Amino acid sequence: MKLRTEHVFPPIPDRRFDWAAYDEDSYDADCDDTGYFSHSIVGYGRTEADAIDDFWDQWNNQGPAWEELSEAERDRRWDETDMKARIAQELERLHRECQDAANMRPK
């Protein structure tokens, strides 16, 4: 799985859909006479971290129950959950660095 995020920033006043997160390896979308649709999980959020959280919430609430997964699949999902936490921490660190840099600029 290769989790990808995009800053979508749609031209609507609702900011809950500014970021999207999806599995780049299995993403499948199409557009027909009824409009755009996707059969893949896509997480949305105000921030990149929110979109990632939404993606994982959807991912964990679909498919076979945890008990039905193989040990290798359970290990893989734990690794991905750990990675999600590390990504969120890194985003917070970068956000703080940007705020600190902005505060140090001469006014």
Side-chain angles (χ1 to χ4, degrees), residues 55-102:
F55 174 86
W56 287 117
D57 286 344
Q58 292 179 59
W59 175 266
N60 290 325
N61 289 322
Q62 58 94 34
W66 183 259
E67 298 80 24
E68 298 172 7
L69 297 175
S70 68
E71 186 174 342
E73 178 65 12
R74 280 184 259 165
D75 288 344
R76 185 182 69 76
R77 288 191 184 188
W78 273 111
D79 290 344
E80 289 171 355
T81 300
D82 183 50
M83 180 179 289
K84 178 181 84 167
R86 287 185 301 206
I87 290 169
Q89 289 172 348
E90 182 66 10
L91 287 170
E92 285 295 320
R93 185 188 69 76
L94 291 170
H95 180 71
R96 284 192 305 273
E97 281 184 15
C98 288
Q99 285 181 326
D100 292 345

Side-chain angles (χ1 to χ4, degrees), residues 5-70:
T5 59
E6 289 185 22
H7 189 219
V8 182
F9 200 72
I12 59 175
D14 189 346
R15 300 282 45 111
R16 291 178 295 163
F17 305 98
D18 283 1
W19 283 89
Y22 57 90
D23 175 15
E24 188 174 82
D25 293 335
S26 65
Y27 182 72
D28 180 29
D30 199 355
C31 187
D32 62 11
D33 59 340
T34 62
Y36 172 83
F37 67 91
S38 171
H39 296 288
S40 304
I41 295 173
V42 179
Y44 291 99
R46 291 180 193 279
T47 66
E48 186 174 28
D50 290 343
I52 292 169
D53 286 342
D54 185 44
F55 174 86
W56 287 117
D57 286 344
Q58 292 179 59
W59 175 266
N60 290 325
N61 289 322
Q62 58 94 34
W66 183 259
E67 298 80 24
E68 298 172 7
L69 297 175
S70 68

